[in-house]
Short mmCIF file of all heavy atoms in Angstrom, two decimals:
data_model
loop_
_atom_site.label_atom_id
_atom_site.label_comp_id
_atom_site.label_asym_id
_atom_site.label_seq_id
_atom_site.Cartn_x
_atom_site.Cartn_y
_atom_site.Cartn_z
N PHE A 69 -12.58 14.40 -63.77
CA PHE A 69 -13.14 15.75 -63.86
C PHE A 69 -14.61 15.70 -64.30
O PHE A 69 -15.46 16.43 -63.76
CB PHE A 69 -12.34 16.59 -64.87
CG PHE A 69 -11.16 17.30 -64.27
CD1 PHE A 69 -9.87 16.98 -64.68
CD2 PHE A 69 -11.32 18.29 -63.32
CE1 PHE A 69 -8.77 17.62 -64.14
CE2 PHE A 69 -10.23 18.95 -62.77
CZ PHE A 69 -8.95 18.62 -63.18
N ILE A 70 -14.90 14.85 -65.27
CA ILE A 70 -16.29 14.73 -65.76
C ILE A 70 -17.20 14.19 -64.66
O ILE A 70 -18.32 14.70 -64.46
CB ILE A 70 -16.33 13.81 -66.99
CG1 ILE A 70 -15.70 14.52 -68.19
CG2 ILE A 70 -17.77 13.42 -67.32
CD1 ILE A 70 -15.56 13.65 -69.43
N GLU A 71 -16.74 13.19 -63.93
CA GLU A 71 -17.57 12.60 -62.87
C GLU A 71 -17.84 13.61 -61.76
O GLU A 71 -18.96 13.66 -61.21
CB GLU A 71 -16.91 11.34 -62.30
CG GLU A 71 -16.59 10.25 -63.30
CD GLU A 71 -17.83 9.67 -63.98
OE1 GLU A 71 -18.89 10.32 -64.00
OE2 GLU A 71 -17.71 8.56 -64.52
N ILE A 72 -16.85 14.42 -61.42
CA ILE A 72 -17.07 15.47 -60.43
C ILE A 72 -18.09 16.47 -60.95
O ILE A 72 -19.00 16.91 -60.22
CB ILE A 72 -15.74 16.17 -60.08
CG1 ILE A 72 -14.85 15.23 -59.27
CG2 ILE A 72 -15.99 17.47 -59.30
CD1 ILE A 72 -13.46 15.77 -59.01
N GLY A 73 -17.98 16.85 -62.23
CA GLY A 73 -18.94 17.76 -62.83
C GLY A 73 -20.35 17.21 -62.79
O GLY A 73 -21.30 17.93 -62.44
N PHE A 74 -20.51 15.94 -63.15
CA PHE A 74 -21.82 15.29 -63.10
C PHE A 74 -22.42 15.42 -61.70
O PHE A 74 -23.60 15.78 -61.54
CB PHE A 74 -21.65 13.80 -63.42
CG PHE A 74 -22.32 13.38 -64.70
CD1 PHE A 74 -21.64 12.57 -65.59
CD2 PHE A 74 -23.60 13.77 -65.01
CE1 PHE A 74 -22.24 12.16 -66.77
CE2 PHE A 74 -24.22 13.36 -66.19
CZ PHE A 74 -23.52 12.55 -67.07
N ASN A 75 -21.62 15.12 -60.69
CA ASN A 75 -22.12 15.16 -59.32
C ASN A 75 -22.50 16.56 -58.88
O ASN A 75 -23.54 16.76 -58.25
CB ASN A 75 -21.07 14.58 -58.36
CG ASN A 75 -21.33 13.13 -58.03
OD1 ASN A 75 -21.59 12.79 -56.89
ND2 ASN A 75 -21.31 12.26 -59.01
N LEU A 76 -21.67 17.54 -59.20
CA LEU A 76 -21.95 18.91 -58.79
C LEU A 76 -23.21 19.46 -59.47
O LEU A 76 -23.91 20.30 -58.89
CB LEU A 76 -20.76 19.81 -59.11
CG LEU A 76 -19.48 19.54 -58.29
CD1 LEU A 76 -18.35 20.45 -58.76
CD2 LEU A 76 -19.74 19.75 -56.81
N VAL A 77 -23.49 19.00 -60.67
CA VAL A 77 -24.66 19.48 -61.41
C VAL A 77 -25.96 18.86 -60.87
O VAL A 77 -26.98 19.53 -60.78
CB VAL A 77 -24.51 19.16 -62.92
CG1 VAL A 77 -25.83 19.36 -63.66
CG2 VAL A 77 -23.44 20.05 -63.53
N ILE A 78 -25.92 17.58 -60.52
CA ILE A 78 -27.14 16.84 -60.19
C ILE A 78 -27.39 16.69 -58.69
O ILE A 78 -28.49 16.97 -58.20
CB ILE A 78 -27.10 15.42 -60.83
CG1 ILE A 78 -26.89 15.51 -62.34
CG2 ILE A 78 -28.36 14.64 -60.49
CD1 ILE A 78 -28.00 16.18 -63.09
N VAL A 79 -26.38 16.22 -57.95
CA VAL A 79 -26.62 15.72 -56.60
C VAL A 79 -26.96 16.80 -55.56
O VAL A 79 -27.89 16.59 -54.76
CB VAL A 79 -25.42 14.87 -56.12
CG1 VAL A 79 -25.68 14.32 -54.71
CG2 VAL A 79 -25.18 13.72 -57.08
N PRO A 80 -26.27 17.96 -55.50
CA PRO A 80 -26.62 18.93 -54.46
C PRO A 80 -28.09 19.34 -54.46
O PRO A 80 -28.73 19.42 -53.40
CB PRO A 80 -25.71 20.13 -54.78
CG PRO A 80 -24.53 19.53 -55.45
CD PRO A 80 -25.09 18.40 -56.26
N LYS A 81 -28.66 19.58 -55.64
CA LYS A 81 -30.07 19.94 -55.71
C LYS A 81 -30.95 18.78 -55.28
O LYS A 81 -31.97 18.98 -54.59
CB LYS A 81 -30.42 20.38 -57.14
CG LYS A 81 -31.87 20.86 -57.29
CD LYS A 81 -32.15 22.06 -56.39
CE LYS A 81 -33.60 22.48 -56.45
NZ LYS A 81 -33.88 23.59 -55.51
N MET A 82 -30.58 17.55 -55.66
CA MET A 82 -31.35 16.38 -55.25
C MET A 82 -31.34 16.23 -53.74
O MET A 82 -32.36 15.91 -53.13
CB MET A 82 -30.78 15.13 -55.91
CG MET A 82 -31.54 13.86 -55.57
SD MET A 82 -30.91 12.39 -56.40
CE MET A 82 -29.29 12.24 -55.64
N LEU A 83 -30.19 16.47 -53.11
CA LEU A 83 -30.11 16.40 -51.65
C LEU A 83 -31.01 17.44 -51.00
O LEU A 83 -31.65 17.18 -49.99
CB LEU A 83 -28.66 16.60 -51.20
CG LEU A 83 -27.67 15.49 -51.58
CD1 LEU A 83 -26.26 15.87 -51.17
CD2 LEU A 83 -28.06 14.16 -50.95
N GLY A 84 -31.08 18.63 -51.63
CA GLY A 84 -31.94 19.69 -51.10
C GLY A 84 -33.41 19.31 -51.16
O GLY A 84 -34.18 19.61 -50.24
N THR A 85 -33.81 18.63 -52.24
CA THR A 85 -35.22 18.22 -52.35
C THR A 85 -35.56 17.15 -51.33
O THR A 85 -36.72 17.03 -50.91
CB THR A 85 -35.52 17.67 -53.76
OG1 THR A 85 -34.74 16.49 -54.00
CG2 THR A 85 -35.22 18.71 -54.83
N LEU A 86 -34.57 16.37 -50.89
CA LEU A 86 -34.84 15.28 -49.95
C LEU A 86 -34.88 15.75 -48.50
O LEU A 86 -35.75 15.34 -47.74
CB LEU A 86 -33.76 14.20 -50.11
CG LEU A 86 -33.84 13.31 -51.36
CD1 LEU A 86 -32.59 12.48 -51.50
CD2 LEU A 86 -35.08 12.43 -51.32
N ILE A 87 -33.96 16.61 -48.10
CA ILE A 87 -33.86 16.96 -46.69
C ILE A 87 -34.55 18.28 -46.34
O ILE A 87 -35.15 18.42 -45.28
CB ILE A 87 -32.37 17.03 -46.24
CG1 ILE A 87 -32.27 17.04 -44.72
CG2 ILE A 87 -31.67 18.22 -46.86
CD1 ILE A 87 -32.77 15.78 -44.05
N ALA A 88 -34.50 19.25 -47.26
CA ALA A 88 -35.09 20.56 -46.97
C ALA A 88 -36.40 20.78 -47.71
O ALA A 88 -37.02 21.83 -47.57
CB ALA A 88 -34.10 21.67 -47.33
N GLN A 89 -36.81 19.77 -48.51
CA GLN A 89 -38.02 19.89 -49.33
C GLN A 89 -37.97 21.13 -50.22
O GLN A 89 -39.01 21.73 -50.53
CB GLN A 89 -39.27 19.92 -48.44
CG GLN A 89 -39.45 18.68 -47.59
CD GLN A 89 -39.58 17.39 -48.42
OE1 GLN A 89 -40.38 17.33 -49.33
NE2 GLN A 89 -38.78 16.39 -48.09
N ASP A 90 -36.75 21.52 -50.61
CA ASP A 90 -36.56 22.68 -51.50
C ASP A 90 -36.67 22.18 -52.94
O ASP A 90 -35.67 21.96 -53.63
CB ASP A 90 -35.20 23.32 -51.24
CG ASP A 90 -34.95 24.53 -52.13
OD1 ASP A 90 -35.94 25.08 -52.68
OD2 ASP A 90 -33.78 24.93 -52.29
N THR A 91 -37.90 22.02 -53.41
CA THR A 91 -38.12 21.38 -54.70
C THR A 91 -38.16 22.35 -55.87
O THR A 91 -38.19 21.92 -57.02
CB THR A 91 -39.45 20.59 -54.68
OG1 THR A 91 -40.52 21.50 -54.33
CG2 THR A 91 -39.40 19.47 -53.65
N SER A 92 -38.18 23.64 -55.60
CA SER A 92 -38.27 24.61 -56.69
C SER A 92 -36.89 24.86 -57.31
O SER A 92 -35.86 24.82 -56.62
CB SER A 92 -38.85 25.93 -56.19
OG SER A 92 -37.99 26.52 -55.23
N ILE A 93 -36.90 25.09 -58.61
CA ILE A 93 -35.68 25.46 -59.33
C ILE A 93 -36.08 26.49 -60.38
O ILE A 93 -37.10 26.34 -61.06
CB ILE A 93 -35.01 24.22 -59.98
CG1 ILE A 93 -33.70 24.61 -60.67
CG2 ILE A 93 -35.93 23.51 -60.95
CD1 ILE A 93 -32.87 23.41 -61.12
N SER A 94 -35.32 27.55 -60.49
CA SER A 94 -35.67 28.63 -61.40
C SER A 94 -35.62 28.16 -62.86
O SER A 94 -34.99 27.15 -63.18
CB SER A 94 -34.72 29.82 -61.21
OG SER A 94 -33.41 29.49 -61.65
N PHE A 95 -36.29 28.91 -63.72
CA PHE A 95 -36.30 28.60 -65.15
C PHE A 95 -34.87 28.55 -65.68
O PHE A 95 -34.47 27.60 -66.36
CB PHE A 95 -37.10 29.68 -65.89
CG PHE A 95 -37.32 29.41 -67.34
CD1 PHE A 95 -38.41 28.69 -67.79
CD2 PHE A 95 -36.42 29.87 -68.30
CE1 PHE A 95 -38.61 28.43 -69.14
CE2 PHE A 95 -36.60 29.63 -69.65
CZ PHE A 95 -37.70 28.91 -70.07
N LEU A 96 -34.08 29.57 -65.32
CA LEU A 96 -32.68 29.61 -65.76
C LEU A 96 -31.86 28.50 -65.12
O LEU A 96 -31.03 27.87 -65.77
CB LEU A 96 -32.07 30.98 -65.43
CG LEU A 96 -30.58 31.17 -65.80
CD1 LEU A 96 -30.39 31.01 -67.30
CD2 LEU A 96 -30.08 32.54 -65.32
N GLY A 97 -32.12 28.24 -63.83
CA GLY A 97 -31.39 27.17 -63.13
C GLY A 97 -31.64 25.81 -63.75
O GLY A 97 -30.73 24.99 -63.87
#
Side-chain angles (χ1 to χ4, degrees):
F69 272 116
I70 289 174
E71 303 297 21
I72 289 174
F74 246 135
N75 263 244
L76 292 177
V77 167
I78 304 296
V79 181
K81 183 60 184 177
M82 181 178 66
L83 293 175
T85 63
L86 286 170
I87 195 64
Q89 300 300 309
D90 180 19
T91 57
S92 64
I93 183 170
S94 68
F95 186 89
L96 179 61

